[in-house]
Amino acid sequence: MKTRIVTLMIVSLFFFSSFVHADLLDLKTSILLALKNNLLIQEKLAQIKAAREGVKAARSAFLPKFETNYTYTRLKDKPYAIFRMGPVPQHVITGPEDNYTWDIGFTQPLFTGFYLSSQYRLSKLGVDIARLEKIESEQEIIKEVKVAYFQVLLAQKYKQVAEKAVKNLKAHLKDAQALYQNGIIPKNDLLKSQVALANAKQELVRAENNLQLAIANFNILLQRDINQPLALKDILNYQPLKLSLDEAIKTALFNRPELKLFTKRLEQIDAQIKMAKSQYYPQLTMVGKYERIGNHPNVNGNGYQIPSNFYLTLQAKWVLFDWGKTRAEVKKLVWQKHALEKTYAYLKEQVKLQVKKAYLTLKETEKNIQTAKVSIEQAKENYRITDLQYKNQVTTSTEVLDAQTFLTQAQTNYYTALYRYHIAIAELERAMGKSSKSRRR
């Protein structure tokens, strides 16, 4: 027996020390930690950096490209020219067997049918899209952290309510046992009290498990160890929302990053269409090259040709007929844009629906808070009176158990309404596209 008591004391001390050393987190700090540690955000940051490098690459296409070449060619025979100045043809050597060539040159695009400018525009839109995707991910993570935060607080309250119910029913059972021993109440009244206490203990175990699951989910969002102890700053107050549904929808249509992403993708298709249409125009390029030749590696002449030269070339290229390939590619992109416009219109309607749903849920929970708050005081007073009446044998054990059930339900309803109100605020802010990391209370 002593060994069991010592073991229980050690386990209790372990859990007590774990919660003592748990970090106290508020909502703002929790959100900042989640954004800092989240792998998806880190992925989006890497994508933004990659898109910026894409802009640099597209910008460099406007500039001249310089290149140099060094070649060596060995001929089987010396090249010669044939001159017929008499009956016997004359062979005149025109070059050596060993030929070394070195050149340095540049290529400068002058006109590409707006291909390069469209490509540059496309790369800049890539940066904008990567940033909007990061904002979208941040907003989703912020909402998830807020929801998980209040779910932990709600689970804690459920546990406290269950603990209070067990405490009250233990006291009631003690009274029932005393009355039964004195022969005042029948055994079935005592049995009812025992069954009610057993059920309450089961609810407490369930509440404890739900709390641990809520904490584990919260730890995962913050990239903490799943079993790390947790202590959260409670939020028991609330401010009624002073915002109309029309204002909320208007804000959502302006702020939602998903909608902004679609507008950027539409701009991307416009740039792609312009790039495809570039094939309708001539391509104009300037090429310059400085060249040296020789029959030795030092390319210092070969005795037959000018050892060095520079030339400048203007090259115009125009594809006159490609069997309708360019036209088909342009039409394909036009139809893709048309489809994207329809999807964009559908998304706007879905955003409106999300906002309305979140708004109505918020208003519902807001009304429930006041109703539930009043019912708690009534349920407490009802339990106090009924318990006193039972001790004086004015009422039955069933009435006490019912009063306890009403009290538990009233407390549960209040905390459910309160924290679901905060969760509804988080859902509405996400639906409106608000990216604030915390809100004033």
Side-chain angles (χ1 to χ4, degrees):
M1 183 67 179
K2 291 182 178 179
T3 304
R4 184 178 179 184
I5 293 173
V6 170
T7 303
L8 289 172
M9 290 178 64
I10 292 173
V11 172
S12 300
L13 287 172
F14 172 77
F15 281 106
F16 177 76
S17 62
S18 297
F19 282 101
V20 167
H21 290 92
D23 297 330
L24 180 63
L25 296 176
D26 58 16
L27 182 57
K28 182 178 180 180
T29 303
S30 301
I31 291 172
L32 292 175
L33 285 173
L35 293 175
K36 177 183 177 182
N37 298 330
N38 189 270
L39 298 178
L40 180 59
I41 298 299
Q42 295 174 14
E43 175 193 342
K44 298 303 180 183
L45 286 171
Q47 289 177 351
I48 290 174
K49 292 179 180 178
R52 287 174 178 167
E53 295 303 319
V55 173
K56 294 179 182 178
R59 187 188 298 121
S60 67
F62 291 102
L63 305 175
K65 295 176 177 61
F66 293 88
E67 62 178 18
T68 184
N69 296 283
Y70 188 91
T71 60
Y72 166 69
T73 303
R74 170 70 180 182
L75 302 178
K76 179 181 178 181
D77 299 308
K78 291 182 179 181
Y80 60 87
I82 300 175
F83 293 92
R84 296 185 179 275
M85 300 180 64
V88 180
Q90 301 294 320
H91 290 199
V92 179
I93 302 298
T94 58
E97 295 171 315
D98 296 311
N99 294 272
Y100 294 87
T101 304
W102 171 76
D103 64 67
I104 182 171
F106 71 90
T107 303
Q108 173 65 61
L110 299 178
F111 181 69
T112 60
F114 310 105
Y115 182 90
L116 293 182
S117 59
S118 300
Q119 187 180 52
Y120 180 66
R121 175 62 179 157
L122 203 60
S123 65
K124 292 185 70 175
L125 287 169
V127 176
D128 295 337
I129 287 175
R131 286 173 177 166
L132 287 170
E133 287 177 344
K134 176 176 173 288
I135 293 173
E136 180 185 359
S137 300
E138 286 177 343
Q139 289 184 2
E140 189 64 27
I141 290 167
I142 289 171
K143 185 207 73 174
E144 290 178 359
V145 171
K146 287 180 179 179
V147 171
Y149 188 96
F150 291 113
Q151 284 177 340
V152 171
L153 294 180
L154 180 58
Q156 289 175 345
K157 294 302 180 185
Y158 282 168
K159 181 185 174 185
Q160 292 174 9
V161 170
E163 288 172 341
K164 183 63 176 177
V166 170
K167 182 180 178 181
N168 288 344
L169 290 172
K170 281 183 177 179
H172 173 67
L173 178 60
K174 186 177 180 181
D175 293 337
Q177 287 173 335
L179 292 172
Y180 174 73
Q181 289 172 359
N182 291 325
I184 299 175
I185 63 171
K187 187 174 183 179
N188 66 320
D189 274 9
L190 177 63
L191 292 175
K192 288 178 182 179
S193 302
Q194 291 173 335
V195 171
L197 178 58
N199 291 337
K201 288 181 177 179
Q202 291 180 9
E203 289 298 324
L204 177 57
V205 171
R206 188 177 294 110
E208 289 174 342
N209 288 340
N210 290 337
L211 175 59
Q212 292 304 314
L213 288 175
I215 290 174
N217 179 59
F218 186 83
N219 282 335
I220 290 173
L221 283 174
L222 269 63
Q223 295 294 308
R224 289 155 47 105
D225 184 86
I226 192 173
N227 297 316
Q228 186 171 344
L230 179 67
L232 298 181
K233 184 178 179 181
D234 205 351
I235 301 174
L236 292 172
N237 61 322
Y238 83 100
Q239 291 180 354
L241 181 68
K242 297 180 180 180
L243 180 71
S244 69
L245 177 58
D246 289 339
E247 290 173 335
I249 291 176
K250 184 178 179 181
T251 301
L253 294 177
F254 180 78
N255 284 337
R256 279 290 286 266
E258 294 92 334
L259 295 177
K260 294 181 180 180
L261 274 169
F262 263 86
T263 60
K264 293 298 179 181
R265 290 192 174 110
L266 286 170
E267 291 181 41
Q268 274 189 325
I269 289 189
D270 286 335
Q272 290 172 348
I273 291 173
K274 200 170 184 178
M275 288 175 65
K277 287 182 176 180
S278 67
Q279 298 301 312
Y280 290 137
Y281 300 93
Q283 313 291 309
L284 186 61
T285 306
M286 179 171 62
V287 179
K289 181 179 289 187
Y290 173 75
E291 182 181 68
R292 293 187 64 87
I293 60 174
N295 57 354
H296 294 285
N298 61 5
V299 289
N300 199 25
N302 57 19
Y304 297 93
Q305 298 167 285
I306 300 174
S308 63
N309 207 341
F310 174 80
Y311 59 87
L312 191 65
T313 303
L314 289 177
Q315 177 182 345
K317 180 182 178 182
W318 198 349
V319 178
L320 299 177
F321 186 71
D322 61 359
W323 301 96
K325 178 183 177 182
T326 300
R327 181 173 176 272
E329 288 179 349
V330 171
K331 290 186 69 175
K332 180 187 75 172
L333 291 169
V334 169
W335 281 113
Q336 286 178 351
K337 180 182 178 180
H338 182 70
L340 194 61
E341 288 172 340
K342 298 301 180 182
T343 305
Y344 177 62
Y346 174 78
L347 180 61
K348 288 176 69 175
E349 296 303 317
Q350 291 300 305
V351 167
K352 293 177 184 179
L353 182 60
Q354 290 172 9
V355 173
K356 186 170 185 177
K357 181 179 178 181
Y359 187 88
L360 294 176
T361 301
L362 177 63
K363 287 299 181 181
E364 176 187 340
T365 56
E366 187 177 341
K367 293 176 181 177
N368 290 341
I369 289 175
Q370 296 300 331
T371 305
K373 191 173 184 180
V374 173
S375 68
I376 283 181
E377 299 303 321
Q378 295 171 340
K380 284 181 179 179
E381 183 63 14
N382 177 57
Y383 180 81
R384 186 189 68 80
I385 294 173
T386 306
D387 185 55
L388 184 61
Q389 289 175 339
Y390 179 74
K391 291 177 180 178
N392 293 308
Q393 277 302 285
V394 180
T395 190
T396 63
S397 177
T398 301
E399 294 296 327
V400 177
L401 298 180
D402 287 343
Q404 176 58 52
T405 300
F406 294 149
L407 177 58
T408 299
Q409 189 62 53
Q411 291 172 329
T412 300
N413 289 343
Y414 172 70
Y415 291 122
T416 299
L418 177 63
Y419 292 116
R420 283 187 177 173
Y421 173 82
H422 290 298
I423 290 174
I425 284 283
E427 296 281 359
L428 181 59
E429 287 179 344
R430 174 65 183 94
M432 292 168 58
K434 295 182 67 175
S435 58
S436 58
K437 297 178 176 57
S438 64
R439 65 181 188 275
R440 295 179 181 176
R441 292 182 171 82

